[in-house]
Amino acid sequence: DAGVIQSPRHEVTEMGQEVTLRCKPISGHDYLFWYRQTMMRGLELLIYFNNNVPIDDSGMPEDRFSAKMPNASFSTLKIQPSEPRDSAVYFCASSKDRGRQNSWNEQFFGPGTRLTVL
Amino acid sequence: TQLLEQSPQFLSIQEGENLTVYCNSSSVFSSLQWYRQEPGEGPVLLVTVVTGGEVKKLKRLTFQFGDARKDSSLHITAAQPGDTGLYLCAGPTNTGNQFYFGTGTSLTVIP
């Protein structure tokens, strides 16, 4: 089975441009997560969805960031307008469910999108 | 300030040596996971520990969850070059819906 698919793998854009990152989770997984990884801040959870509904977006850094999940097989993370400090690797992950209370199940990560904002 | 602090941040050892990586927090975690991430890839789950004091073994890797569920350790016996990677602890706190990753330990095993 295919794992989590992300596109593009690399994105180079100029400050002020709109950037859209895409993710296809593993079929049958109910949860979808967006993370950002930088050297300074490590791996940070931005937002996650359960059954296409956003559950917690407290990690989204600013209003410039938005995420949608129109159906169970597709999600986007959009940055508008982009800034150089948004440069990072963005990961999408999915999991089957939350598991028993407060014991989160294994998250399966995509290969990431390396974003560079000039 | 990171909720999960890992130490050391970087570790370079010779093949065959033993090592321990630590993951500490001032908060109580309901469970902790350990992931390994290789360059250019996403993290991959190694283990989940749920009960305070729990010890799990995965071949040469031994994972322990602290009694108070605020800390965890990963011990590797006789490290091999294939163990090279970024090790990350992660988990949800008892009180929230958020999931946190640790600061990471970058391990290099020299043949």
Side-chain angles (χ1 to χ4, degrees):
Chain A
D1 286 340
V4 175
I5 298 172
Q6 291 187 247
S7 65
R9 291 295 311 274
H10 302 273
E11 177 82 25
V12 180
T13 190
E14 292 188 346
M15 181 174 64
Q17 297 296 308
E18 177 179 296
V19 174
T20 300
L21 311 181
R22 298 172 175 79
C23 175
K24 176 178 169 56
I26 293 173
S27 177
H29 282 190
D30 299 328
Y31 282 82
L32 183 139
F33 308 83
W34 281 102
Y35 288 90
R36 177 173 68 177
Q37 187 173 38
T38 61
M39 286 294 294
M40 289 295 294
R41 300 177 66 87
L43 196 58
E44 301 172 283
L45 177 61
L46 301 177
I47 184 172
Y48 70 94
F49 296 82
N50 178 28
N51 291 323
N52 313 337
V53 176
I55 301 301
D56 192 308
D57 66 354
S58 59
M60 296 285 262
E62 299 173 32
D63 291 345
R64 297 184 296 106
F65 286 70
S66 62
K68 293 182 180 180
M69 192 165 184
N71 58 63
S73 59
F74 183 65
S75 177
T76 59
L77 178 67
K78 186 177 293 186
I79 308 172
Q80 166 63 17
S82 58
E83 296 183 4
R85 59 192 169 124
D86 301 331
S87 298
V89 181
Y90 290 82
F91 286 101
C92 175
S94 69
S95 71
K96 206 165 189 182
D97 54 47
R98 274 275 294 270
R100 63 181 192 174
Q101 186 177 3
N102 287 334
S103 177
W104 290 38
N105 271 342
E106 176 179 8
Q107 295 178 43
F108 294 82
F109 283 76
T113 295
R114 181 173 294 276
L115 173 66
T116 303
V117 183
L118 303 174
Chain B
T1 304
Q2 299 278 4
L3 202 60
L4 283 167
E5 293 283 344
Q6 289 184 235
S7 62
Q9 186 178 359
F10 298 96
L11 191 54
S12 181
I13 62 171
Q14 293 290 132
E15 181 176 0
E17 292 183 354
N18 301 333
L19 66 114
T20 301
V21 176
Y22 299 93
C23 172
N24 293 289
S25 178
S26 57
S27 298
V28 176
F29 280 74
S30 53
S31 62
L32 266 183
Q33 297 176 337
W34 283 91
Y35 287 78
R36 181 169 67 205
Q37 183 179 17
E38 300 190 12
E41 299 181 9
V44 175
L45 181 70
L46 297 173
V47 78
T48 301
V49 285
V50 179
T51 307
E54 182 177 2
V55 177
K56 277 193 176 178
K57 291 191 174 184
L58 189 67
K59 296 183 181 178
R60 293 175 296 99
L61 279 58
T62 302
F63 305 85
Q64 184 161 8
F65 200 11
D67 291 341
R69 291 186 287 132
K70 293 184 177 181
D71 58 271
S72 181
S73 64
L74 157 60
H75 182 78
I76 301 179
T77 303
Q80 299 177 2
D83 296 328
T84 292
L86 179 68
Y87 288 82
L88 296 157
C89 61
T93 61
N94 254 355
T95 56
N97 276 324
Q98 264 287 332
F99 192 82
Y100 300 92
F101 272 86
T103 49
T105 295
S106 179
L107 172 65
T108 302
V109 182
I110 303 165

